[in-house]
Amino acid sequence: MLFIIAGVTITTTFRQHIKYDAPYPNVIASTDTAIIAKGRHIVLGPGHCVDCHSTQHNVDSILKSGNDPELSGGLKFDLPFGAFYTRNLTPDITTGIGTMTDGEIARVLRYSVKKNGEAVLPFMPFQNMSDEDITAVISYLRSLQPVKNKVPDHQYNIMGRLIKAFMIKPSGPTEPIVASVKQDTTAAYGKHLVMAVANCNECHTKRGPIGEYIGEPLSGGTEFEEEGKPTLITPNLTPHPSGRIYKWSEKDFVRRFRMGKLIPYSHMPWESYSRMTDEELKAIYKYLRTVKPVDTRSKQNK
């Protein structure tokens, strides 16, 4: 048994910095104001990057003052397998993305591979974004004021080191990547927003212990537990009578997003989502009406 433990320990140590190969998307940042504006909308709106990459909690107030929040990272997440910190996304050359090429940033988003070849933690599911979307996001990040903020390295505990060594691997696109997706109020555009940009699927489809999908798409069931607070379970968004929005009209759906966060400890990025346009929300609503209805009354999706 001692030899087995020693072998696992040594192997785990050697596998902490595994390098992976992945292509560099042919993406080049633009200085075009319209493209930058699109990237800004994604970052502050449906893509909700600001929710994790800024430690400023008064984003709406900052925006109303005519400024943009700092995306300098440093937000800490205490998870069962360690302490993790969001990265500095400003173009600072020592603590941010200032020394990364456009292709290197795009590779992180699309293939989950860092500049040094290591796998990115599976917290940014933007692999299926269109080339246009990724170009816009990188263009906006390049336009920001550099902020010097050295973010601490992730701190893996024993379980985390085992997970990193044997379970964390890059995630690439799950469908053919398109150059762009037409922005309108159709279900097709709604699907792109739900599955590639806003990533509603990440929380509204039940997942297993290592993040694998084990539930029916968008049928809810993911549990969020926080000490001293009631457990929150993501609702069923499918068009079944047991679904949360089954009786909602398109108008009801849009109105709910305009209300923002009603449960203070909700994990849903309501503030960012409330910045989506009416057209985007209508497209999402239409797409949700097309997905497979799932009855969660008896199973309770658990």
Side-chain angles (χ1 to χ4, degrees):
M1 180 62 71
L2 183 61
F3 289 108
I4 294 176
I5 294 175
V8 171
T9 301
I10 293 172
T11 303
T12 299
T13 300
F14 278 105
R15 291 179 62 87
Q16 289 304 295
H17 301 287
I18 298 176
K19 301 295 192 293
Y20 297 91
D21 189 25
Y24 295 93
N26 185 24
V27 168
I28 300 175
S30 172
T31 57
D32 185 287
T33 55
I35 294 175
I36 292 173
K38 176 180 174 65
R40 179 179 185 271
H41 177 67
I42 292 174
V43 168
L44 303 181
H48 57 279
C49 314
V50 67
D51 281 71
C52 291
H53 289 278
S54 175
T55 56
Q56 296 171 300
H57 301 294
N58 57 333
V59 173
D60 282 335
S61 297
I62 294 172
L63 293 174
K64 288 177 182 178
S65 71
N67 298 305
D68 280 8
E70 293 182 355
L71 299 177
S72 55
L75 185 64
K76 181 182 180 183
F77 288 89
D78 287 309
L79 301 174
F81 43 93
F84 302 89
Y85 302 85
T86 57
R87 302 294 98 186
N88 183 345
L89 298 186
T90 74
D92 182 69
I93 59 173
T94 57
T95 66
I97 61 171
T99 61
M100 295 179 69
T101 67
D102 297 335
E104 287 169 343
I105 300 173
R107 187 170 75 156
V108 170
L109 292 171
R110 179 157 292 160
Y111 296 104
S112 307
V113 176
K114 300 178 185 178
K115 179 178 180 178
N116 66 1
E118 293 182 21
V120 177
L121 291 170
F123 299 146
M124 294 199 308
F126 299 109
Q127 292 84 2
N128 291 326
M129 289 178 70
S130 69
D131 287 341
E132 184 181 80
D133 289 341
I134 290 184
T135 299
V137 167
I138 296 176
S139 299
Y140 172 63
L141 297 180
R142 294 287 196 212
S143 75
L144 297 175
Q145 283 293 115
V147 177
K148 189 175 295 295
N149 181 38
K150 177 69 170 109
V151 176
D153 293 332
H154 299 320
Q155 299 165 11
Y156 293 87
N157 56 28
I158 294 176
M159 181 172 68
R161 287 171 61 82
L162 286 168
I163 290 174
K164 183 181 181 184
F166 301 105
M167 302 175 75
I168 294 179
K169 296 180 180 180
S171 299
T174 58
E175 57 187 46
I177 296 299
V178 296
S180 63
V181 179
K182 184 180 179 181
Q183 299 178 54
D184 52 26
T185 59
T186 64
Y189 186 53
K191 178 181 180 181
H192 178 67
L193 289 170
V194 167
M195 305 302 282
V197 182
N199 288 299
C200 315
N201 191 48
E202 290 296 303
C203 291
H204 286 277
T205 298
K206 191 172 183 180
R207 307 175 79 172
I210 60 172
E212 76 280 18
Y213 291 110
I214 59 175
E216 292 283 356
L218 299 170
S219 63
T222 301
E223 298 186 17
F224 289 95
E225 298 180 354
E226 193 170 343
E227 186 176 353
K229 298 175 182 177
T231 298
L232 293 178
I233 303 176
T234 56
N236 176 2
L237 300 183
T238 73
H240 186 275
S242 62
R244 173 70 59 83
I245 63 173
Y246 176 71
K247 294 183 179 180
W248 290 16
S249 67
E250 181 180 84
K251 186 176 181 180
D252 293 331
F253 187 79
V254 174
R255 183 188 299 118
R256 173 62 190 91
F257 279 82
R258 296 291 171 247
M259 295 169 68
K261 183 176 291 191
L262 300 181
I263 301 175
Y265 48 90
S266 170
H267 290 75
M268 184 159 166
W270 282 108
E271 290 86 356
S272 289
Y273 286 168
S274 69
R275 299 183 193 109
M276 286 193 279
T277 66
D278 283 1
E279 288 70 25
E280 287 172 327
L281 292 171
K282 289 176 181 178
I284 290 174
Y285 176 82
K286 288 179 180 176
Y287 171 65
L288 293 177
R289 289 305 198 208
T290 70
V291 302
K292 175 186 174 183
V294 180
D295 186 350
T296 55
R297 290 173 297 191
S298 58
K299 297 180 181 179
Q300 296 184 344
N301 222 33
K302 292 184 180 180

